[in-house]
Amino acid sequence: MHSNHSPSESSLSVPDPVSRIDAEARLYGARIATRCSVCGRWLVAPKSRAAHAGPKCQKGGAA
């Protein structure tokens, strides 16, 4: 059986696994955070959490 979707298309439709938990946490005034792998600061932005680095550290300007 052949699928009409390429692997890249199917991976795009998979939601961020933490997004549901993040939405539930925000209902109670909490935020999901992780540490930056470069400088150790807390990251709360979804893109930064996914990259394990904040925007400054991603650009190479670690604090």
Side-chain angles (χ1 to χ4, degrees):
M1 180 175 215
H2 179 46
S3 172
N4 291 335
H5 300 288
S6 69
S8 61
E9 285 179 283
S10 63
S11 64
L12 293 175
S13 64
V14 176
D16 173 21
V18 180
S19 64
R20 190 182 91 244
I21 297 167
D22 193 33
E24 288 182 33
R26 286 177 182 267
L27 290 174
Y28 297 98
R31 297 175 86 179
I32 304 297
T34 189
R35 294 271 188 177
C36 175
S37 62
V38 178
C39 71
R41 289 184 181 202
W42 286 107
L43 305 171
V44 294
K47 288 182 181 180
S48 296
R49 288 192 326 242
H52 300 282
K56 290 182 181 179
C57 291
Q58 288 179 31
K59 291 180 181 176

Short mmCIF file of all heavy atoms in Angstrom, two decimals:
data_model
loop_
_atom_site.label_atom_id
_atom_site.label_comp_id
_atom_site.label_asym_id
_atom_site.label_seq_id
_atom_site.Cartn_x
_atom_site.Cartn_y
_atom_site.Cartn_z
N MET A 1 0.85 -1.18 0.00
CA MET A 1 0.00 0.00 0.00
C MET A 1 0.89 1.24 0.00
O MET A 1 1.82 1.35 0.78
CB MET A 1 -0.91 -0.04 1.22
CG MET A 1 -1.81 1.13 1.32
SD MET A 1 -2.93 0.87 2.70
CE MET A 1 -4.35 1.63 2.02
N HIS A 2 0.59 2.18 -0.85
CA HIS A 2 1.40 3.38 -1.01
C HIS A 2 0.66 4.58 -0.45
O HIS A 2 -0.50 4.81 -0.75
CB HIS A 2 1.71 3.59 -2.49
CG HIS A 2 2.53 4.81 -2.77
ND1 HIS A 2 3.65 5.13 -2.04
CD2 HIS A 2 2.41 5.78 -3.71
CE1 HIS A 2 4.16 6.25 -2.52
NE2 HIS A 2 3.43 6.66 -3.52
N SER A 3 1.35 5.38 0.36
CA SER A 3 0.75 6.58 0.94
C SER A 3 0.91 7.75 -0.03
O SER A 3 1.90 7.84 -0.74
CB SER A 3 1.45 6.91 2.26
OG SER A 3 1.02 8.14 2.74
N ASN A 4 -0.06 8.63 -0.04
CA ASN A 4 0.00 9.82 -0.88
C ASN A 4 0.83 10.94 -0.26
O ASN A 4 1.05 11.96 -0.86
CB ASN A 4 -1.40 10.35 -1.17
CG ASN A 4 -2.17 9.42 -2.08
OD1 ASN A 4 -1.58 8.67 -2.85
ND2 ASN A 4 -3.49 9.46 -1.98
N HIS A 5 1.25 10.74 0.98
CA HIS A 5 2.00 11.77 1.69
C HIS A 5 3.47 11.40 1.74
O HIS A 5 3.82 10.27 2.00
CB HIS A 5 1.48 11.93 3.12
CG HIS A 5 0.04 12.33 3.18
ND1 HIS A 5 -0.38 13.59 2.82
CD2 HIS A 5 -1.07 11.65 3.53
CE1 HIS A 5 -1.69 13.65 2.96
NE2 HIS A 5 -2.14 12.49 3.38
N SER A 6 4.32 12.37 1.53
CA SER A 6 5.76 12.15 1.68
C SER A 6 6.09 12.22 3.17
O SER A 6 5.34 12.78 3.95
CB SER A 6 6.54 13.22 0.91
OG SER A 6 6.38 14.46 1.52
N PRO A 7 7.22 11.66 3.58
CA PRO A 7 7.60 11.71 5.00
C PRO A 7 7.67 13.13 5.54
O PRO A 7 7.31 13.38 6.67
CB PRO A 7 8.97 11.05 5.03
CG PRO A 7 9.02 10.20 3.81
CD PRO A 7 8.16 10.90 2.79
N SER A 8 8.12 14.08 4.73
CA SER A 8 8.22 15.45 5.22
C SER A 8 6.85 16.06 5.46
O SER A 8 6.66 16.83 6.38
CB SER A 8 9.01 16.32 4.25
OG SER A 8 8.37 16.37 3.00
N GLU A 9 5.86 15.71 4.67
CA GLU A 9 4.51 16.22 4.87
C GLU A 9 3.90 15.66 6.15
O GLU A 9 3.28 16.39 6.90
CB GLU A 9 3.60 15.85 3.70
CG GLU A 9 3.84 16.66 2.44
CD GLU A 9 2.92 16.20 1.33
OE1 GLU A 9 3.20 15.14 0.74
OE2 GLU A 9 1.93 16.90 1.09
N SER A 10 4.08 14.39 6.40
CA SER A 10 3.50 13.79 7.59
C SER A 10 4.16 14.31 8.86
O SER A 10 3.51 14.47 9.87
CB SER A 10 3.57 12.26 7.53
OG SER A 10 4.92 11.85 7.50
N SER A 11 5.45 14.60 8.82
CA SER A 11 6.12 15.12 10.00
C SER A 11 5.70 16.55 10.31
O SER A 11 5.76 16.98 11.45
CB SER A 11 7.63 15.02 9.85
OG SER A 11 8.07 15.85 8.80
N LEU A 12 5.27 17.29 9.31
CA LEU A 12 4.81 18.66 9.53
C LEU A 12 3.48 18.69 10.27
O LEU A 12 3.19 19.65 10.97
CB LEU A 12 4.68 19.41 8.20
CG LEU A 12 5.98 19.69 7.46
CD1 LEU A 12 5.67 20.33 6.11
CD2 LEU A 12 6.87 20.60 8.27
N SER A 13 2.68 17.66 10.14
CA SER A 13 1.37 17.66 10.77
C SER A 13 1.42 17.20 12.22
O SER A 13 0.42 17.28 12.91
CB SER A 13 0.41 16.77 9.97
OG SER A 13 0.86 15.43 10.01
N VAL A 14 2.56 16.72 12.70
CA VAL A 14 2.69 16.27 14.07
C VAL A 14 2.87 17.49 14.96
O VAL A 14 3.80 18.27 14.80
CB VAL A 14 3.91 15.31 14.23
CG1 VAL A 14 4.09 14.92 15.68
CG2 VAL A 14 3.73 14.11 13.34
N PRO A 15 1.97 17.68 15.95
CA PRO A 15 2.08 18.85 16.81
C PRO A 15 3.22 18.69 17.81
O PRO A 15 3.69 17.59 18.09
CB PRO A 15 0.73 18.88 17.54
CG PRO A 15 0.27 17.46 17.53
CD PRO A 15 0.81 16.87 16.26
N ASP A 16 3.68 19.82 18.34
CA ASP A 16 4.71 19.82 19.37
C ASP A 16 4.17 19.05 20.57
O ASP A 16 3.10 19.38 21.08
CB ASP A 16 5.03 21.27 19.74
CG ASP A 16 5.97 21.40 20.92
OD1 ASP A 16 6.69 20.44 21.22
OD2 ASP A 16 5.98 22.48 21.53
N PRO A 17 4.86 18.01 21.04
CA PRO A 17 4.33 17.21 22.15
C PRO A 17 4.15 17.99 23.45
O PRO A 17 3.33 17.63 24.28
CB PRO A 17 5.36 16.09 22.32
CG PRO A 17 6.58 16.58 21.65
CD PRO A 17 6.14 17.54 20.58
N VAL A 18 4.89 19.05 23.62
CA VAL A 18 4.80 19.83 24.85
C VAL A 18 3.69 20.88 24.76
O VAL A 18 3.25 21.41 25.76
CB VAL A 18 6.16 20.49 25.17
CG1 VAL A 18 6.11 21.31 26.44
CG2 VAL A 18 7.24 19.43 25.30
N SER A 19 3.21 21.20 23.56
CA SER A 19 2.25 22.28 23.40
C SER A 19 0.95 22.03 24.17
O SER A 19 0.39 22.96 24.76
CB SER A 19 1.95 22.53 21.93
OG SER A 19 1.34 21.41 21.34
N ARG A 20 0.49 20.80 24.22
CA ARG A 20 -0.74 20.50 24.96
C ARG A 20 -0.52 20.69 26.47
O ARG A 20 -1.33 21.30 27.15
CB ARG A 20 -1.20 19.06 24.68
CG ARG A 20 -2.59 18.80 25.25
CD ARG A 20 -3.04 17.36 25.01
NE ARG A 20 -2.62 16.57 26.18
CZ ARG A 20 -1.74 15.58 26.16
NH1 ARG A 20 -1.19 15.21 25.05
NH2 ARG A 20 -1.42 14.94 27.25
N ILE A 21 0.62 20.21 26.96
CA ILE A 21 0.95 20.37 28.37
C ILE A 21 1.14 21.85 28.69
O ILE A 21 0.69 22.33 29.74
CB ILE A 21 2.22 19.58 28.72
CG1 ILE A 21 1.99 18.09 28.49
CG2 ILE A 21 2.67 19.83 30.15
CD1 ILE A 21 3.24 17.26 28.50
N ASP A 22 1.79 22.58 27.78
CA ASP A 22 2.01 24.01 27.97
C ASP A 22 0.68 24.76 28.07
O ASP A 22 0.50 25.61 28.94
CB ASP A 22 2.85 24.55 26.81
CG ASP A 22 3.40 25.94 27.06
OD1 ASP A 22 3.70 26.26 28.23
OD2 ASP A 22 3.54 26.69 26.09
N ALA A 23 -0.27 24.42 27.21
CA ALA A 23 -1.58 25.07 27.22
C ALA A 23 -2.31 24.78 28.54
O ALA A 23 -2.92 25.68 29.13
CB ALA A 23 -2.41 24.59 26.04
N GLU A 24 -2.22 23.55 29.03
CA GLU A 24 -2.86 23.20 30.29
C GLU A 24 -2.20 23.93 31.46
O GLU A 24 -2.88 24.42 32.36
CB GLU A 24 -2.81 21.70 30.52
CG GLU A 24 -3.74 20.93 29.61
CD GLU A 24 -3.71 19.43 29.89
OE1 GLU A 24 -3.51 19.03 31.06
OE2 GLU A 24 -3.87 18.67 28.92
N ALA A 25 -0.88 24.04 31.44
CA ALA A 25 -0.16 24.73 32.51
C ALA A 25 -0.57 26.20 32.57
O ALA A 25 -0.76 26.76 33.66
CB ALA A 25 1.34 24.60 32.30
N ARG A 26 -0.72 26.82 31.41
CA ARG A 26 -1.10 28.24 31.37
C ARG A 26 -2.50 28.48 31.94
O ARG A 26 -2.77 29.55 32.47
CB ARG A 26 -1.00 28.78 29.95
CG ARG A 26 0.44 28.97 29.52
CD ARG A 26 0.53 29.44 28.07
NE ARG A 26 1.90 29.59 27.65
CZ ARG A 26 2.57 30.73 27.71
NH1 ARG A 26 2.00 31.83 28.16
NH2 ARG A 26 3.82 30.77 27.31
N LEU A 27 -3.37 27.48 31.87
CA LEU A 27 -4.70 27.61 32.47
C LEU A 27 -4.60 27.84 33.97
O LEU A 27 -5.46 28.47 34.58
CB LEU A 27 -5.54 26.36 32.20
CG LEU A 27 -6.00 26.14 30.77
CD1 LEU A 27 -6.69 24.79 30.66
CD2 LEU A 27 -6.93 27.25 30.31
N TYR A 28 -3.54 27.32 34.58
CA TYR A 28 -3.33 27.43 36.02
C TYR A 28 -2.28 28.47 36.38
O TYR A 28 -1.81 28.53 37.51
CB TYR A 28 -2.95 26.06 36.59
CG TYR A 28 -4.05 25.05 36.42
CD1 TYR A 28 -4.03 24.15 35.36
CD2 TYR A 28 -5.14 25.03 37.28
CE1 TYR A 28 -5.05 23.23 35.18
CE2 TYR A 28 -6.16 24.12 37.11
CZ TYR A 28 -6.11 23.22 36.06
OH TYR A 28 -7.13 22.32 35.89
N GLY A 29 -1.87 29.27 35.41
CA GLY A 29 -0.90 30.33 35.67
C GLY A 29 0.54 29.84 35.72
O GLY A 29 1.42 30.57 36.18
N ALA A 30 0.79 28.63 35.26
CA ALA A 30 2.15 28.08 35.26
C ALA A 30 2.73 28.14 33.85
O ALA A 30 2.00 28.31 32.87
CB ALA A 30 2.13 26.64 35.75
N ARG A 31 4.03 28.02 33.76
CA ARG A 31 4.71 28.00 32.46
C ARG A 31 5.70 26.85 32.44
O ARG A 31 6.33 26.56 33.45
CB ARG A 31 5.44 29.32 32.22
CG ARG A 31 4.49 30.50 32.15
CD ARG A 31 5.22 31.79 32.04
NE ARG A 31 5.50 32.05 30.64
CZ ARG A 31 6.11 33.13 30.20
NH1 ARG A 31 6.53 34.03 31.05
NH2 ARG A 31 6.32 33.31 28.93
N ILE A 32 5.83 26.23 31.30
CA ILE A 32 6.81 25.17 31.12
C ILE A 32 8.12 25.82 30.70
O ILE A 32 8.14 26.67 29.82
CB ILE A 32 6.36 24.17 30.03
CG1 ILE A 32 4.98 23.59 30.35
CG2 ILE A 32 7.39 23.07 29.83
CD1 ILE A 32 4.91 22.79 31.63
N ALA A 33 9.20 25.45 31.36
CA ALA A 33 10.50 26.05 31.05
C ALA A 33 11.57 24.97 31.04
O ALA A 33 11.41 23.91 31.64
CB ALA A 33 10.85 27.11 32.08
N THR A 34 12.64 25.25 30.34
CA THR A 34 13.82 24.39 30.33
C THR A 34 15.05 25.29 30.34
O THR A 34 14.94 26.49 30.08
CB THR A 34 13.81 23.46 29.09
OG1 THR A 34 14.86 22.52 29.23
CG2 THR A 34 13.97 24.22 27.81
N ARG A 35 16.19 24.74 30.67
CA ARG A 35 17.42 25.53 30.72
C ARG A 35 18.09 25.60 29.36
O ARG A 35 18.11 24.63 28.61
CB ARG A 35 18.40 24.91 31.72
CG ARG A 35 17.94 24.96 33.15
CD ARG A 35 18.38 26.22 33.78
NE ARG A 35 18.10 26.17 35.22
CZ ARG A 35 18.43 27.13 36.04
NH1 ARG A 35 19.05 28.19 35.58
NH2 ARG A 35 18.13 27.05 37.30
N CYS A 36 18.67 26.75 29.07
CA CYS A 36 19.45 26.93 27.85
C CYS A 36 20.70 26.06 27.97
O CYS A 36 21.36 26.07 29.02
CB CYS A 36 19.85 28.40 27.68
SG CYS A 36 20.96 28.70 26.29
N SER A 37 21.01 25.30 26.93
CA SER A 37 22.17 24.42 26.96
C SER A 37 23.49 25.18 26.85
O SER A 37 24.55 24.61 27.08
CB SER A 37 22.08 23.38 25.85
OG SER A 37 22.07 24.01 24.59
N VAL A 38 23.42 26.47 26.52
CA VAL A 38 24.64 27.27 26.38
C VAL A 38 24.92 28.07 27.65
O VAL A 38 25.98 27.95 28.26
CB VAL A 38 24.54 28.22 25.16
CG1 VAL A 38 25.79 29.08 25.03
CG2 VAL A 38 24.29 27.43 23.89
N CYS A 39 23.95 28.88 28.08
CA CYS A 39 24.18 29.78 29.22
C CYS A 39 23.47 29.37 30.50
O CYS A 39 23.76 29.90 31.56
CB CYS A 39 23.79 31.20 28.84
SG CYS A 39 22.01 31.46 28.68
N GLY A 40 22.50 28.46 30.41
CA GLY A 40 21.81 27.99 31.61
C GLY A 40 20.60 28.81 32.02
O GLY A 40 19.97 28.50 33.02
N ARG A 41 20.26 29.84 31.27
CA ARG A 41 19.08 30.64 31.61
C ARG A 41 17.81 29.84 31.34
O ARG A 41 17.80 28.93 30.53
CB ARG A 41 19.05 31.92 30.79
CG ARG A 41 20.10 32.90 31.19
CD ARG A 41 19.95 34.18 30.42
NE ARG A 41 21.00 35.10 30.79
CZ ARG A 41 20.92 36.40 30.62
NH1 ARG A 41 19.86 36.94 30.05
NH2 ARG A 41 21.90 37.17 31.00
N TRP A 42 16.73 30.23 32.01
CA TRP A 42 15.45 29.57 31.81
C TRP A 42 14.83 30.01 30.49
O TRP A 42 14.84 31.19 30.16
CB TRP A 42 14.47 29.89 32.95
CG TRP A 42 14.82 29.16 34.21
CD1 TRP A 42 15.35 29.70 35.33
CD2 TRP A 42 14.66 27.77 34.46
NE1 TRP A 42 15.54 28.72 36.27
CE2 TRP A 42 15.11 27.52 35.76
CE3 TRP A 42 14.18 26.70 33.71
CZ2 TRP A 42 15.10 26.25 36.33
CZ3 TRP A 42 14.16 25.44 34.28
CH2 TRP A 42 14.62 25.23 35.57
N LEU A 43 14.30 29.07 29.73
CA LEU A 43 13.66 29.34 28.45
C LEU A 43 12.19 29.00 28.56
O LEU A 43 11.83 27.91 28.98
CB LEU A 43 14.29 28.49 27.34
CG LEU A 43 15.80 28.60 27.18
CD1 LEU A 43 16.30 27.54 26.21
CD2 LEU A 43 16.18 29.98 26.70
N VAL A 44 11.31 29.93 28.17
CA VAL A 44 9.87 29.67 28.20
C VAL A 44 9.23 29.76 26.82
O VAL A 44 8.14 29.24 26.62
CB VAL A 44 9.14 30.62 29.19
CG1 VAL A 44 9.57 30.33 30.62
CG2 VAL A 44 9.37 32.07 28.84
N ALA A 45 9.89 30.40 25.87
CA ALA A 45 9.34 30.51 24.51
C ALA A 45 9.41 29.14 23.83
O ALA A 45 10.44 28.46 23.90
CB ALA A 45 10.13 31.54 23.70
N PRO A 46 8.33 28.71 23.18
CA PRO A 46 8.31 27.39 22.55
C PRO A 46 9.47 27.15 21.57
O PRO A 46 10.08 26.08 21.58
CB PRO A 46 6.97 27.36 21.81
CG PRO A 46 6.10 28.29 22.59
CD PRO A 46 7.02 29.38 23.07
N LYS A 47 9.81 28.14 20.75
CA LYS A 47 10.91 27.97 19.79
C LYS A 47 12.24 27.79 20.51
O LYS A 47 13.08 27.00 20.12
CB LYS A 47 11.00 29.15 18.83
CG LYS A 47 9.88 29.18 17.82
CD LYS A 47 10.05 30.35 16.87
CE LYS A 47 8.93 30.40 15.86
NZ LYS A 47 9.09 31.53 14.93
N SER A 48 12.45 28.55 21.57
CA SER A 48 13.69 28.45 22.34
C SER A 48 13.78 27.12 23.07
O SER A 48 14.84 26.49 23.11
CB SER A 48 13.80 29.60 23.33
OG SER A 48 13.88 30.84 22.67
N ARG A 49 12.64 26.69 23.65
CA ARG A 49 12.64 25.39 24.34
C ARG A 49 12.96 24.27 23.36
O ARG A 49 13.71 23.35 23.67
CB ARG A 49 11.28 25.12 24.98
CG ARG A 49 11.01 25.96 26.20
CD ARG A 49 9.80 25.48 26.98
NE ARG A 49 8.75 24.93 26.16
CZ ARG A 49 7.53 25.41 26.05
NH1 ARG A 49 7.18 26.48 26.74
NH2 ARG A 49 6.63 24.83 25.29
N ALA A 50 12.40 24.34 22.16
CA ALA A 50 12.64 23.30 21.16
C ALA A 50 14.10 23.27 20.72
O ALA A 50 14.66 22.20 20.47
CB ALA A 50 11.73 23.51 19.95
N ALA A 51 14.73 24.45 20.65
CA ALA A 51 16.13 24.54 20.23
C ALA A 51 17.10 24.31 21.39
O ALA A 51 18.30 24.18 21.17
CB ALA A 51 16.39 25.91 19.61
N HIS A 52 16.59 24.31 22.63
CA HIS A 52 17.42 24.20 23.83
C HIS A 52 18.41 25.34 23.95
O HIS A 52 19.48 25.20 24.55
CB HIS A 52 18.14 22.86 23.91
CG HIS A 52 17.20 21.69 23.92
ND1 HIS A 52 16.52 21.32 25.05
CD2 HIS A 52 16.82 20.85 22.95
CE1 HIS A 52 15.75 20.28 24.77
NE2 HIS A 52 15.91 19.99 23.48
N ALA A 53 18.07 26.49 23.34
CA ALA A 53 18.93 27.67 23.42
C ALA A 53 18.09 28.91 23.15
O ALA A 53 17.19 28.87 22.31
CB ALA A 53 20.06 27.60 22.42
N GLY A 54 18.39 29.98 23.85
CA GLY A 54 17.67 31.24 23.64
C GLY A 54 18.15 31.92 22.37
O GLY A 54 19.14 31.50 21.75
N PRO A 55 17.48 33.00 21.97
CA PRO A 55 17.82 33.67 20.73
C PRO A 55 19.24 34.22 20.69
O PRO A 55 19.92 34.13 19.66
CB PRO A 55 16.78 34.79 20.61
CG PRO A 55 16.13 34.89 21.93
CD PRO A 55 16.33 33.61 22.65
N LYS A 56 19.73 34.76 21.80
CA LYS A 56 21.11 35.29 21.82
C LYS A 56 22.12 34.16 21.69
O LYS A 56 23.10 34.28 20.97
CB LYS A 56 21.37 36.07 23.11
CG LYS A 56 20.63 37.38 23.16
CD LYS A 56 20.97 38.14 24.43
CE LYS A 56 20.21 39.45 24.50
NZ LYS A 56 20.52 40.18 25.74
N CYS A 57 21.89 33.05 22.37
CA CYS A 57 22.82 31.93 22.31
C CYS A 57 22.77 31.25 20.93
O CYS A 57 23.79 30.76 20.45
CB CYS A 57 22.52 30.93 23.41
SG CYS A 57 22.91 31.59 25.05
N GLN A 58 21.62 31.26 20.30
CA GLN A 58 21.50 30.68 18.96
C GLN A 58 22.32 31.49 17.96
O GLN A 58 22.85 30.94 17.00
CB GLN A 58 20.04 30.63 18.52
CG GLN A 58 19.23 29.58 19.25
CD GLN A 58 17.77 29.58 18.80
OE1 GLN A 58 17.45 29.88 17.67
NE2 GLN A 58 16.89 29.25 19.72
N LYS A 59 22.40 32.80 18.18
CA LYS A 59 23.17 33.68 17.29
C LYS A 59 24.65 33.69 17.63
O LYS A 59 25.44 34.29 16.91
CB LYS A 59 22.63 35.10 17.35
CG LYS A 59 21.25 35.25 16.75
CD LYS A 59 20.77 36.68 16.85
CE LYS A 59 19.39 36.82 16.28
NZ LYS A 59 18.85 38.18 16.46
N GLY A 60 25.02 33.06 18.74
CA GLY A 60 26.43 33.02 19.13
C GLY A 60 26.83 34.10 20.11
O GLY A 60 28.00 34.22 20.42
N GLY A 61 25.88 34.87 20.60
CA GLY A 61 26.20 35.94 21.54
C GLY A 61 25.82 35.55 22.95
O GLY A 61 25.03 36.23 23.59
N ALA A 62 26.33 34.44 23.45
CA ALA A 62 25.97 33.94 24.78
C ALA A 62 26.26 34.98 25.84
O ALA A 62 27.26 35.69 25.78
CB ALA A 62 26.71 32.65 25.08
N ALA A 63 25.38 35.03 26.82
CA ALA A 63 25.51 36.01 27.90
C ALA A 63 26.67 35.69 28.82
O ALA A 63 27.07 34.64 29.06
CB ALA A 63 24.23 36.05 28.70
#
